[in-house]
Amino acid sequence: MSYFLPILIALLIIYALIKKVNVYSAFVRGAGNALPVLKEITPLICAIMISLSLLRSSGALEIITNILSPLLNTLGIDKEIAPLFILRPFSGSASLALLSDIFSHYGVDTFIGFLSSIMMGSTETIFYTIALYFGAAGIKKTRYAVPVALISSIVGVYVAVIVAKYLFYK
Amino acid sequence: MMNFLWAGMIIISIISSLSIGDGDGIINAMTQGALDSVTLIIQLAGSYMLWMGLVNIAKEAGLMEKLANIMKKPLSKLFPDSRSAVAPITLNLTANFLGISSAATPFGLEAIQELQKSNIDKTTASDDMCMFICLNASAIELLPTTVMSLRAASGSNQPQSIILPVFVSSIASFLCAMILCKVLRKR
C-alpha cells in the first residue's frame, strides 16, 4: 500500500510527458488553484473553530455528545466522533475544522482519528449539495432525494466503521 | 441551516459557560478558536497545493476526459430520460473521483440545468434528477485530497492509509443510492 501512491505519481508524470504536457507549469497552475479555495474557506473555518472552541471549553460539547451517544452506539460509532456525524451533512469546511479539532484532541493515528478521517472522506455535505443543485434548477418538491441520500450516507458510515475496525485492529 | 447551527452553538456555549461561572473563559476560548483556524489553514495549504498540483497534471494530460469516456456508457443507462445531461454528469462524478471538488461543482450545475430541460414538471424533481443528486451525495473518491492533506498537516505517520477504506465505504453508499433510486423510479 505504501508503494501505491508513489508509483501512481511516477506513472502520471511519465504519461503526461508522453502526452507532451508541460508537467512543471501544469503543477504550478494546479497548486495556484488551491489558493483561492483556501482563501474562500478561511473565514468559514474561523467561524466554526470559534464556536467549536467555545462549545468545548463551556462543557456543552460533552453534554451534547453524551445525549447522542446511545444512538451512535448502535452504529458502533465512538461518542467522540458524534459531532462530526452531525455536522458533516451540512458543511464541508465546518467538518474539516472539526476533524482538525478531533486530531488535536485524540491524535491522528489513533482509532478515533482513523475512523473520523474515513467518515469525512467517504461522505458528502449532502444537505448543502441538495440545496445547491435543486436551488439552481428551481426545484421545490425533492421527492425521495433527501431520504435516499441520507440512507446511503448512513450505509457508507456503517461500512466505514466495519472497514476501519478491521484494518486498524488486524 | 448553518445559520441556526452556528448561532445555536455560540448561544448554548455562552449560557453553559455562564452557568458554571466561567465568564473569562468565553472570550479566551473564542480568541483561541480564531487563532487555531489560522494555524489550520497554514498547515493545510502546503499539502493541499501538492495534491491540487498533481491532480492538475492528470487533468491537463487528458486523464479526466479519458476516465469520463469510460464511465459514459454505464452512466447513460442510469439516466434514460436525459441523454444530453450524461456528459456533464460524468465530468462531475470524475472530478469528485479525483478529489477536485472545486471543479466538480460547475459541471454539476451544468448537469442539473440539462436535467431540468427534459423535466416535465419544472418545480418537482424528476427521477433522473434524484438519481444524479443521490449519486453525487455519495460520490466515490479515489483521492480524498483534503482529508489526506489535513492528516499530513496533523503529523500522521500514514496520511494516505485512508485511501482504501474511503474507497470501499464510498462504493457501498454509491451502490446503495443507485439501487434505491432505481427501485423508487416511477416506471
Side-chain angles (χ1 to χ4, degrees):
Chain A
M1 199 58 204
S2 60
Y3 292 133
F4 174 68
L5 270 185
I7 290 173
L8 199 72
I9 293 169
L11 286 177
L12 167 69
I13 290 175
I14 294 166
Y15 178 81
L17 284 175
I18 294 170
K19 288 274 166 185
K20 300 205 164 48
V21 172
N22 186 334
V23 222
Y24 174 69
S25 46
F27 180 87
V28 173
R29 262 195 297 279
N33 286 342
L35 295 178
V37 178
L38 287 167
K39 189 186 156 223
E40 211 173 292
I41 63 171
T42 304
L44 300 168
I45 300 257
C46 179
I48 294 301
M49 289 297 249
I50 289 171
S51 60
L52 274 180
S53 166
L54 207 51
L55 265 184
R56 205 177 271 285
S57 79
S58 67
L61 189 67
E62 213 166 313
I63 299 170
I64 296 171
T65 51
N66 280 337
I67 293 170
L68 285 164
S69 65
L71 179 85
L72 293 168
N73 271 340
T74 53
L75 269 175
I77 298 169
D78 298 78
K79 69 170 187 184
E80 290 83 355
I81 303 180
L84 186 66
F85 187 76
I86 301 159
L87 215 52
R88 179 61 180 145
F90 295 101
S91 160
S93 41
S95 35
L96 195 66
L98 187 52
L99 189 63
S100 151
D101 186 70
I102 290 175
F103 286 166
S104 56
H105 275 85
Y106 306 107
V108 54
D109 286 327
T110 57
F111 179 69
I112 290 172
F114 188 59
L115 175 59
S116 49
S117 304
I118 298 170
M119 262 178 64
M120 176 77 186
S122 59
T123 49
E124 261 286 333
T125 50
I126 51 174
F127 291 123
Y128 171 76
T129 308
I130 289 170
L132 175 75
Y133 289 145
F134 278 153
I139 298 292
K140 300 254 158 23
K141 285 187 195 130
T142 58
R143 294 174 61 209
Y144 53 83
V146 177
V148 170
L150 262 179
I151 292 170
S152 30
S153 280
I154 292 174
V155 167
V157 169
Y158 194 63
V159 173
V161 173
I162 297 169
V163 175
K165 281 205 171 121
Y166 174 75
L167 287 176
F168 197 82
Y169 295 114
K170 75 174 171 191
Chain B
M1 196 63 208
M2 267 321 277
N3 186 23
F4 293 113
L5 262 179
W6 193 74
M9 278 159 84
I10 300 276
I11 292 166
I12 289 170
S13 316
I14 291 182
I15 293 171
S16 165
S17 276
L18 290 179
S19 69
I20 53 170
D22 185 20
D24 295 332
I26 298 173
I27 300 298
N28 285 343
M30 289 179 99
T31 318
Q32 190 56 47
L35 213 71
D36 288 346
S37 72
V38 178
T39 324
L40 169 63
I41 289 291
I42 294 201
Q43 285 176 332
L44 198 61
S47 34
Y48 198 50
M49 284 200 289
L50 165 69
W51 287 109
M52 292 298 273
L54 288 174
V55 165
N56 194 49
I57 296 178
K59 205 175 147 203
E60 292 196 11
L63 273 177
M64 206 165 111
E65 276 87 24
K66 216 168 197 165
L67 216 72
N69 275 335
I70 300 170
M71 280 162 58
K72 210 169 184 168
K73 256 228 165 92
L75 275 176
S76 64
K77 286 211 175 73
L78 295 176
F79 302 94
D81 303 333
S82 13
R83 291 261 168 263
S84 62
V86 174
I89 289 172
T90 317
L91 285 169
N92 168 268
L93 293 176
T94 314
N96 268 330
F97 184 71
L98 292 174
I100 14 178
S101 33
S102 55
T105 311
F107 291 130
L109 289 171
E110 195 188 329
I112 199 87
Q113 311 288 4
E114 284 299 323
L115 287 168
Q116 181 68 306
K117 282 182 193 161
S118 52
N119 189 11
I120 303 152
D121 179 356
K122 298 291 180 201
T123 56
T124 305
S126 66
D127 286 315
D128 280 356
M129 281 181 178
C130 291
M131 177 66 94
F132 169 63
I133 297 281
C134 294
L135 290 187
N136 196 292
S138 56
I140 300 175
E141 256 189 307
L142 176 69
L143 289 177
T145 44
T146 322
V147 183
M148 282 198 305
S149 304
L150 183 60
R151 285 171 62 80
S154 310
S156 168
N157 292 324
Q158 289 178 300
Q160 74 282 8
S161 62
I162 58 158
I163 293 179
L164 183 69
V166 164
F167 192 64
V168 172
S169 44
S170 53
I171 280 185
S173 67
F174 191 88
L175 287 178
C176 175
M178 197 178 83
I179 293 165
L180 282 177
C181 284
K182 269 275 178 207
V183 172
L184 291 167
R185 280 191 93 89
K186 271 190 208 136
R187 287 148 284 135

